[in-house]
Every structure is written in C-alpha cells, then in structure tokens.
C-alpha cells in the first residue's frame, strides 16, 4: 500500500545554491509519487489568501509550476510530487520578499513498495497507474464521511480496509450534519468567504491521506447544492476561483486525489455552464499533475467531451440495467465512463435509496460487460447511512462486489471491452482471448457458445467457467472447446455447441483462451 506521509521541512537553512547553479549540495529525499513539502514563514498585510506564491520544479527535462498556500499563522507551504526519480531543483516566486527567491533541491528516490503511482486514462476507456498497473474501479460514495467525528472516521476507514472499494466520492463541503468546524471563517451570523479556515482543510487532507495509505482514491467534490444556508455553493466567481486554487494547491500533490467539479451540477442553480467551464479550465491550469477530473449530473448530462474532463461521472439508474445501454455513452464521448450513482442499496421510501442488493450487484456486472465502471451506495433505515456519513456497511452487495473485483482483476488489460456491441451479443472482454457473458435476473438452463469470428481462425482452444455472481462461486466446465466456423459471423465447437447452466438468476459464463 502506498503512503502519502508528508515531510515538513523548512525551505531555509539547507545551505543550498541557486536553482540554476551547476553544483548543489544534497537536499532532502522523497519517494517518487510521494509528497515533498516546503515550509516558509512570512507575515503579510491584508488577506494572506490573496498572496501569490509559486515554485518552479525542474529535473532538466520536465518543469512543473506548483502553487503555494497559506496554512495559517504566517505559515506557507508548497507541495511537490515528483513524477520521475532524480534530482529536482526548485525556486519560488512571490511579490512578498520573504517568500520570493527561495531555492533548493529534492531528490526523488524509488517509489515505496506497492506504490504504482497516480492514475491516467489508458486505452481510451480505462484507467491505469503511472507504472502501467491497471486500475479496476469499484467505487463507493460516502459524501460527508470526512467531516464526521474522529471516531466515526476511524470506523469508516476500518470498513473500507475490509471492503473491495478502491475509490470514495466525498464532499469538500458537507451535505449533511457534521462536526462544528467550517471551511470559512465566521463573520457575524454569516461567513467571511474571503478567508478560508486552514484547520478545516488540514482535517480534510488527513482523511485523504489516510485513504491513500489504504490504496484508495479520494474523489473530491468541490461544489454541490446541499450545503443549506451557508451559500458556499453560490459564492461570487472571484471567491469560487480563490477556493478552487486553494484546493488544488493543498491537494494536487496527493497522487490519490481526483477532482469532481460538482455533485448534481444541474441543481447548482447559482452557477451557469459558463461558470463550470471556467472552473474546469482553472483546475486544469492550476494542477501541474493533471489529476483525473469530472463533473456529476442530476438529470441533465454535462458535455463530457470537454477537454478538461478526463472521464464521465454519471448518475443514471436505468443505463446499467443492460450492458448495451451502458455502453452508449462510452461511444459518444470516447472516454472512460463511471456510473457513479445508479441508485443506492437500501430500504427507504425514496426510489433513489430502495435498490435491492441483487439490483446493485446486477448493475456492476452489466457495466463491466459494457466496458464501463459502476459506483456503489447504501442507505438503510435506522442508520445514519453509509452514503451520507460513512461508518459501517450493512448491505449484502459488498462481498459480491469483492467477487466481481476478483473477476475484473483476472480479466484483460487495461480493461473489458464490449464485443460485437451492435448486435446484442452481451459479450465483454477481449476479442480472440477472453469473453464474458452475464445473464442478470434471467435464469437460462443453457447458453449457446458462439463467439464472433473476429480474431479467430479456427482451431483455437478455450476453457469455460460458470460463475454465480450472487453465491460467489466459479465452476469450471470439463474439457476444452475447440473453435470452428459456424456461419458467416460466428465460431463454435460443433461437438459442444452449448454450455449447461443451473437455471437460476445472476449467472455468468467466462470463456478464456488456453
């Protein structure tokens, strides 16, 4: 598991030469993709959150510009995550004399054991770590878990540690009751939107760091419409920009951080599409590492083809009831598609929170066959609700999603592709080598094993497994299936044209080349 422990070092006192000097004394070290932190001190007049501070880092091949941030009481920090091993030189720029012209080096060493680096889009529709390791997204939503008591946060992290979930959608501003600590300073009965509260963000980054320690991605939601009368979602453009710059400065160096511009952007009535475009481009401009970035919808889909959007984050309870529907948005935007909200497993009297465990698991499997990804949520009566505050999971879908994750991990790289998608074959995997057929709530007693002819010539040998996605079992079918031409479109084994199935729902068949 990777660690994002922060090294807090003063920028002065190292006895370092200037950035452009040919010989520099040995500086501190940090693992590749870890976080190196530079601490400076300066008293400034006026609003410290409006003071510009940047540092340029270079290893001679790549140059990255990092924004610093005010952390209260005259403390300023810059955080850097080296994308490569080697010596990186840095120099600061600021109109404040005490913050300007500071310089030094940091040496990036080999990454920590198990740290595969930050994520990027791979193969057009999937995600992979910087070292090429595939990332098979099995996400969950716990909106305001990070703003709860330390005890409840500890419980949430313990739950995640034992779960299959490798990404958590979480709000920067809480959307339900939380601890009495706030992102902005109080001003009478309201808020001073021009002065952020560093203690609040230190607490949030502790949560993000601890997720990173577990190897879990933190999908940070910057705005949402459910912050009550605070007005945090409805600030002026200048205040929005200040807040977003501050967030990127504090969190971008954490390699497990993603940006989500908004939850249900079309309900944030105080902002227009032009506002979100400005903010999306601002995140892209400010983030030197290009972390993943999305925007989540209620009913109106955002144009996820925009260049600042790395992947589509979708709310849709119907699309993943069938793999052919789930695939369509992938073809439209030609990007990874994550159905982050497909209704929540639960028993409340709202349709968005009354999904059966079987229905939740079914949506993940349809999404997998479609070459897309799905997110989990849970809310049961008599409980604060995992998706609201974290804590414990009570539903039956979680262990079944762990089983799904094991199937994903054993599948093709970088991920599953839809196969013969225009003809309702309901196959996913990789042409010529791997085929997965999921049957959902239907209960067939056999499946005709006919594979699209692409990448097959005849004579190929395959083994077949019957998977029960609910009972979490894998039953190998005896012998091998040898391919021969069936007709103009399909290959099959004429001696074994069908696979017997048990006649119950939630089954799948996996066909892999020997």
């Amino acid at each position: 598991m990777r660690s994002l422990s922060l090294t807090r070092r003063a920028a002065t006192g190292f006895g370092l030469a200037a950035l452009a000097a040919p010989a520099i004394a040995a500086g501190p070290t940090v693992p590749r993709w870890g976080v190196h932190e530079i601490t400076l001190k300066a008293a400034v007049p006026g609003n410290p959150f409006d003071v510009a501070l940047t540092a340029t880092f270079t290893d001679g091949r790549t140059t990255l510009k990092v924004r610093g941030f005010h952390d209260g009481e005259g403390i300023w920090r810059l955080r850097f995550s080296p994308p490569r091993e080697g010596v990186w030189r840095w120099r600061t720029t600021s109109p404040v004399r005490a913050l300007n012209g500071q310089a030094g080096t940091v040496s990036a060493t080999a990454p920590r054991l198990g740290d595969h680096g930050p994520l990027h889009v791979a193969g057009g529709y999937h995600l992979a770590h910087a070292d090429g390791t595939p990332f098979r997204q099995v996400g969950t939503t716990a909106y305001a878990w990070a703003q709860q008591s330390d005890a409840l946060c500890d419980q949430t992290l313990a739950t995640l540690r034992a779960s299959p979930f490798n990404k958590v959608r979480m709000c920067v501003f809480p959307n339900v009751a939380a601890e009495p600590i706030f992102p902005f300073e109080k001003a009478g009965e309201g808020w001073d939107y021009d002065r952020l509260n560093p203690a609040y963000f230190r607490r949030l980054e502790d949560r993000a760091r601890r997720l990173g320690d577990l190897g879990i991605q933190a999908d940070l939601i910057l705005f949402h419409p459910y912050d009550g009368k605070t007005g945090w979602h409805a600030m002026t453009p200048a205040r929005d920009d200040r807040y977003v710059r501050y967030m990127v400065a504090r969190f971008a160096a954490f390699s497990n951080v993603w940006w989500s511009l908004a939850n249900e952007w079309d309900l944030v009535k105080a902002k227009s599409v032009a506002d979100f475009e400005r903010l999306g481009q601002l995140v892209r401009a400010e983030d030197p590492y290009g972390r993943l970035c999305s925007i989540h919808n209620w009913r109106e889909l955002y144009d996820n083809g925009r260049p600042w959007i790395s992947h589509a984050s979708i709310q849709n309870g119907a699309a993943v009831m069938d793999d052919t529907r789930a695939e369509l948005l992938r073809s439209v935007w030609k990007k990874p598609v994550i159905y982050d909200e497909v209704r929540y497993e639960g028993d409340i009297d709202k349709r968005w929170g009354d999904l059966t465990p079987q229905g939740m698991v079914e949506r993940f499997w349809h999404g997998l066959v479609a070459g897309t990804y799905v997110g989990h949520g849970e809310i049961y009566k008599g409980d604060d609700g995992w998706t609201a505050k974290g804590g414990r999971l009570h539903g039956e879908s979680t262990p079944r999603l762990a089983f799904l994750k094991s199937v994903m991990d054993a599948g093709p790289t970088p991920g599953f592709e839809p196969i013969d998608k225009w003809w309702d074959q309901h196959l996913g995997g990789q042409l010529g080598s791997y085929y997965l057929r999921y049957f959902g709530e239907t209960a067939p007693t056999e499946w005709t094993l006919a594979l699209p002819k692409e990448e097959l010539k005849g004579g190929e040998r395959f083994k077949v497994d019957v998977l029960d996605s609910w009972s979490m079992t894998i039953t190998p079918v005896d012998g091998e299936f040898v391919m021969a031409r069936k007709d103009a479109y399909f290959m099959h084994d004429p001696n074994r044209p069908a696979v017997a199935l048990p006649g119950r729902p939630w089954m799948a068949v996996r066909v892999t080349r020997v």
Side-chain angles (χ1 to χ4, degrees):
M1 294 296 180
R2 57 183 300 282
S3 171
L4 287 176
S5 57
L6 305 181
T7 56
R8 303 183 179 274
R9 300 175 182 271
T12 56
F14 289 135
L16 303 177
L19 184 63
I24 293 184
T29 62
V30 63
R32 183 186 184 189
W33 306 315
V35 178
H36 173 64
E37 184 168 292
I38 299 164
T39 303
L40 304 172
K41 292 185 178 181
V44 300
N47 187 355
F49 298 101
D50 286 333
V51 171
L53 169 63
T54 60
T56 300
F57 287 79
T58 184
D59 67 346
R61 291 184 294 166
T62 299
T63 298
L64 298 177
K65 185 177 180 180
V66 173
R67 184 179 293 276
F69 62 93
H70 179 59
D71 203 21
E73 299 180 349
I75 300 296
W76 306 79
R77 304 190 193 281
L78 300 111
R79 289 174 177 162
F80 172 64
S81 182
R84 272 199 303 270
E85 295 176 37
V87 177
W88 292 80
R89 304 178 179 190
W90 58 267
R91 180 188 291 277
T92 65
T93 301
S94 175
V96 177
R97 179 177 297 181
L99 302 176
N100 187 52
Q102 302 289 339
T105 64
V106 57
S107 296
T109 59
R112 295 180 181 89
L113 183 65
D115 186 355
H116 300 292
L119 293 173
H120 63 272
V121 174
Y125 302 98
H126 307 287
L127 302 175
H129 292 275
D131 69 353
T133 302
F135 178 76
R136 327 278 188 167
Q137 195 270 176
V138 178
T140 189
T141 293
Y143 286 121
W145 82 271
Q147 292 84 17
Q148 304 308 309
S149 69
D150 289 344
L152 187 54
C153 285
D154 289 346
Q155 186 180 82
T156 300
L157 290 163
T159 298
L160 288 168
R161 184 181 295 109
S163 82
F165 302 120
N166 54 15
K167 186 199 77 174
V168 178
R169 295 178 65 233
M170 51 191 283
C171 296
V172 177
F173 303 148
N175 63 346
V176 296
E179 290 291 279
I181 179 171
F182 305 102
F184 296 93
E185 292 185 12
K186 292 287 288 183
E189 296 299 315
W191 306 96
D192 185 346
Y193 299 109
D194 294 317
R195 291 183 178 267
L196 298 105
N197 178 9
Y200 181 89
F201 293 94
R202 283 195 292 270
R203 198 168 184 274
L204 182 65
E205 70 191 22
D206 170 74
R207 281 32 173 171
R209 177 186 57 79
R210 293 169 72 186
L211 286 178
D213 291 342
L214 297 177
I216 296 173
Q217 305 293 307
D219 195 354
L220 298 179
I221 300 168
L222 298 177
F223 295 96
H224 64 77
Y226 304 111
D227 51 21
K229 298 179 180 180
T230 65
W232 299 332
H233 69 286
M235 297 184 292
T236 65
R239 287 164 170 166
D240 283 343
D241 291 358
R242 180 194 291 118
Y243 154 66
V244 168
R245 287 192 183 97
Y246 190 79
M247 280 296 301
V248 175
R250 282 200 84 113
F251 287 90
F254 290 13
S255 66
N256 69 318
V257 158
W258 303 16
W259 307 115
S260 176
L261 233 62
N263 188 63
E264 299 183 336
W265 74 272
D266 43 325
L267 290 180
V268 185
K269 302 301 184 183
K271 289 182 171 46
S272 65
V273 170
D275 289 322
F276 282 117
E277 281 298 300
R278 185 191 78 255
L279 292 167
Q281 293 174 28
L282 179 62
V283 169
R284 271 285 168 256
E286 291 288 317
D287 182 353
Y289 312 104
R291 304 301 188 209
L292 299 177
C293 187
S294 68
I295 185 167
H296 174 82
N297 66 285
W298 180 50
R299 291 183 176 175
E300 184 177 349
L301 291 174
Y302 203 88
D303 176 9
N304 284 276
R306 301 297 300 153
W308 55 267
I309 297 177
S310 59
H311 65 283
S313 173
I314 302 300
Q315 176 175 182
N316 190 306
V320 282
M321 293 174 68
D322 178 86
D323 60 273
T324 56
R325 277 186 280 175
E327 191 281 331
L328 289 176
L329 293 182
R330 205 183 97 128
S331 286
V332 170
W333 290 314
K334 302 189 184 308
K335 292 181 178 182
V337 173
I338 303 178
Y339 290 96
D340 276 310
E341 191 172 338
V342 295
R343 297 165 61 198
Y344 303 141
E345 176 185 351
D347 61 357
I348 66 172
D349 60 357
K350 304 290 186 182
R351 66 179 183 179
W352 52 263
D354 67 353
L355 191 60
T356 65
Q358 293 86 351
M360 175 62 72
V361 174
E362 179 186 30
R363 283 156 173 76
F364 270 82
W365 281 86
H366 283 313
L368 176 63
V369 173
T372 64
Y373 300 88
V374 179
H376 159 275
E378 179 188 294
I379 182 164
Y380 280 98
K381 293 176 184 175
D383 180 69
D384 280 337
W386 169 264
T387 289
K389 295 184 178 182
R392 292 190 178 95
L393 287 163
H394 303 282
E396 298 180 83
S397 68
T398 301
R400 277 84 187 179
L401 297 180
F403 177 75
L404 168 93
K405 179 74 162 49
S406 70
V407 173
M408 295 172 74
D409 288 342
T413 298
F416 284 68
E417 297 293 329
I419 294 174
D420 206 12
K421 60 188 178 182
W422 303 118
W423 292 98
D424 249 8
Q425 296 303 309
H426 305 289
L427 289 172
Q430 189 173 71
L431 277 170
S433 62
Y434 186 112
Y435 303 83
L436 182 69
R437 174 67 163 94
Y438 176 65
F439 300 97
E441 63 183 357
T442 63
T445 56
E446 69 173 22
W447 175 58
T448 301
L449 198 163
L451 304 179
K453 67 177 183 178
E454 286 77 14
E455 303 297 328
L456 298 175
K457 297 179 179 179
E460 297 88 355
R461 295 177 177 272
F462 287 86
K463 65 177 182 177
V464 174
D465 298 308
V466 176
L467 284 60
D468 188 323
S469 69
W470 187 254
S471 296
M472 299 176 286
T473 60
I474 299 175
T475 304
V477 176
D478 291 339
E480 296 177 351
F481 291 72
V482 182
M483 293 298 102
R485 180 173 294 276
K486 179 182 180 182
D487 55 33
Y489 302 101
F490 294 99
M491 308 287 283
H492 74 153
D493 185 337
N495 298 313
R496 308 183 72 185
V499 176
L501 295 172
R504 59 177 181 265
W506 321 124
M507 306 302 295
V509 175
R510 179 173 62 186
V511 182
T512 52
R513 191 162 175 174
V514 177

